[in-house]
Amino acid sequence: MEMCHGSRQAITEWAEAGMESIYYVMCWACHRKCRHCYEERFRPYVRDELDAVVAEAKRNFPRILANFPADMTYLDREGCEPGGLPVRRGGRIVLSGGESLLDPVRTEITYPVIDALNAKYRGQGVRIVVQTTGDLLTRPIVEDLLARGVYMIAVASTDRFHVGIDTPERQAAFIDELSALFDACGLKPSMLSSGVGRKWDEETGPLYSFFGASEGSWIGKIWPRGRGWHNDLSTATLADNFCARWSGGMGFLDHRVDGSEVSVEPDGAVYPCCIKTALPLGSLLEDNLIDILDSLATEPAFQAINAGRPERMGLSYGWFEETFLERSRTVTPAGRPYENLCIGCDAFHREVLGPVIEAARQRRRHRPLVPAA
């Protein structure tokens, strides 16, 4: 990738940019319990349980959003201004669940979150994406989202794991029905394949898109997580480096420039990837996102994740690459031999990185205050 020749100076001396993308899981509640899901907590809740997860999300989101970057723009090193400085672009925030449009999540969390983000980032060109299974969409809901300036509605369910739309024929009918609704409401189909590349900002919204855990897709191998793991569905091998893909950990520390994304959960936990490491980096209920990232930026393990090379996480801690690869081998709950770098990453987090992450947290607690100008 050809970079702007002045980008390094711009990043260190000029830029006060935030990051390209945040994937914000707002609430655990979902109306489905898909067997491939990477998170056990995404499931139906009823009565008191539903009240509790909605209350958690509603209680936490103002504090979480307050600790999002003040500036949610980023520097695109593939686009150059006169003089060689990288182009500054508005970032993206993906709002997900669970099911972001489930009642009462939609009215008590999703809509207020969108409104709060619009207020926080007014004038910055930030694009809000709402991710949904799609089967709760109605014309009034689509119009509510458009009235709030949503850039894209991303339907994430076109695969064999979503009951009712689990065959190619049913998926085609589902896509046709929703596409007609979107078209009638003035949205345009995105021309980009979901999760491929980072040129999403070249399209003018409002847009819609469809994707799922289909064969050959970026998540088609199924992450070794949650119900997908317990149901023995992951077909990934050591050759499948989820870390080095978009929404993996690669580039997460390089906020301010293209390629930076993190995942945030309803309890404020921050992860370098949607797949989720065994331990979070920190909590947005305690600290600003940029402070969390900067406090870990010099740690060799996180630099390895940032480079998309998780097998090198342990080189400064006594774990050679051979050790990491050996710890990446296990058996599934069904007893099948399995190997993937995520397994080694989990082991390394649990056995080594807990004190490293806590030390960074304590440094944030005790950092000197900067006097007001």
Side-chain angles (χ1 to χ4, degrees):
M1 179 172 63
E2 185 175 350
M3 299 293 185
C4 296
H5 66 264
S7 61
R8 186 177 299 278
Q9 177 182 356
I11 292 165
T12 56
E13 297 180 7
W14 169 70
E16 291 299 331
M19 63 193 319
E20 180 176 354
S21 184
I22 296 175
Y23 187 87
Y24 179 23
V25 174
M26 298 176 291
C27 185
W28 303 119
C30 190
H31 62 303
R32 290 178 173 269
K33 193 176 180 180
C34 297
R35 60 194 182 96
H36 75 309
C37 188
Y38 71 97
E39 173 55 69
E40 300 274 7
R41 287 172 289 185
F42 294 151
R43 60 177 177 83
Y45 295 83
V46 296
R47 295 183 291 277
D48 292 346
E49 276 194 330
L50 178 60
D51 291 343
V53 295
V54 172
E56 176 195 33
K58 190 174 181 178
R59 179 176 64 251
N60 289 345
F61 86 71
R63 294 168 64 190
I64 290 171
L65 298 188
N67 279 318
F68 274 17
D71 189 315
M72 194 59 197
T73 63
Y74 69 99
L75 304 178
D76 184 356
R77 294 168 292 179
E78 293 187 64
C80 297
E81 298 280 12
L85 296 176
V87 174
R88 183 186 295 269
R89 303 191 190 280
R92 168 181 60 180
I93 299 173
V94 181
L95 302 178
S96 183
E99 173 51 67
S100 60
L101 300 180
L102 182 69
D103 196 24
V105 175
R106 182 182 73 258
T107 54
E108 296 192 30
I109 300 161
T110 302
Y111 289 173
V113 165
I114 295 172
D115 293 341
L117 290 172
N118 283 330
K120 183 178 179 80
Y121 296 119
R122 184 170 289 113
Q124 294 188 22
V126 174
R127 305 187 187 198
I128 297 174
V129 177
V130 171
Q131 186 171 299
T132 171
T133 59
D135 47 12
L136 300 182
L137 280 166
T138 63
R139 180 156 189 155
I141 290 175
V142 173
E143 291 174 345
D144 283 344
L145 294 173
L146 293 178
R148 288 172 166 82
V150 165
Y151 167 72
M152 178 186 286
I153 299 174
V155 178
S157 59
T158 53
D159 55 54
R160 64 189 176 91
F161 301 107
H162 287 80
V163 175
I165 45 176
D166 47 4
T167 67
E169 295 76 19
R170 288 174 174 174
Q171 290 162 25
F174 178 71
I175 289 172
D176 287 346
E177 181 181 358
L178 281 184
S179 296
L181 170 61
F182 293 142
D183 292 341
C185 291
L187 289 86
K188 299 173 293 184
S190 172
M191 295 295 104
L192 298 178
S193 298
S194 178
V196 177
R198 295 191 299 273
K199 288 303 180 182
W200 55 270
D201 60 328
E202 294 178 344
E203 294 188 308
T204 302
L207 302 168
Y208 64 89
S209 66
F210 296 92
F211 71 99
S214 56
E215 294 295 329
S217 74
W218 65 297
I219 52 175
K221 296 279 189 176
I222 306 298
W223 300 331
R225 293 288 186 271
R227 287 192 293 275
W229 175 251
H230 292 299
N231 289 324
D232 204 28
L233 294 175
S234 179
T235 60
T237 68
L238 281 177
D240 297 298
N241 183 354
F242 292 118
C243 197
R245 304 177 185 182
W246 182 245
S247 286
M250 189 167 66
F252 85 99
L253 286 175
D254 298 329
H255 64 86
R256 299 188 181 96
V257 299
D258 53 287
S260 57
E261 183 183 71
V262 296
S263 179
V264 180
E265 299 206 324
D267 58 2
V270 179
Y271 295 91
C273 56
C274 288
I275 304 143
K276 296 197 298 186
T277 47
L279 299 173
L281 305 173
S283 172
L284 295 192
L285 299 184
E286 295 183 346
D287 292 300
N288 180 272
L289 175 57
I290 300 302
D291 289 344
I292 292 173
L293 297 179
D294 286 348
S295 71
L296 296 168
T298 61
E299 294 293 344
F302 295 107
Q303 290 176 342
I305 293 175
N306 192 65
R309 297 292 303 276
E311 73 278 9
R312 300 179 62 85
M313 288 173 63
L315 295 185
S316 297
Y317 308 86
W319 280 42
F320 298 109
E321 287 190 37
E322 294 80 4
T323 307
F324 192 96
L325 293 176
E326 179 59 33
R327 297 303 302 276
S328 297
R329 297 182 175 94
T330 186
V331 295
T332 67
R336 175 172 59 90
Y338 182 88
E339 53 184 14
N340 183 257
L341 296 174
C342 287
I343 302 300
C345 178
D346 289 348
F348 189 72
H349 270 79
R350 293 190 179 105
E351 296 178 28
V352 179
L353 286 186
V356 174
I357 293 171
E358 179 58 25
R361 179 176 177 270
Q362 291 303 320
R363 289 195 298 273
R364 298 193 298 272
R365 297 282 76 71
H366 299 99
R367 67 184 183 275
L369 296 176
V370 178

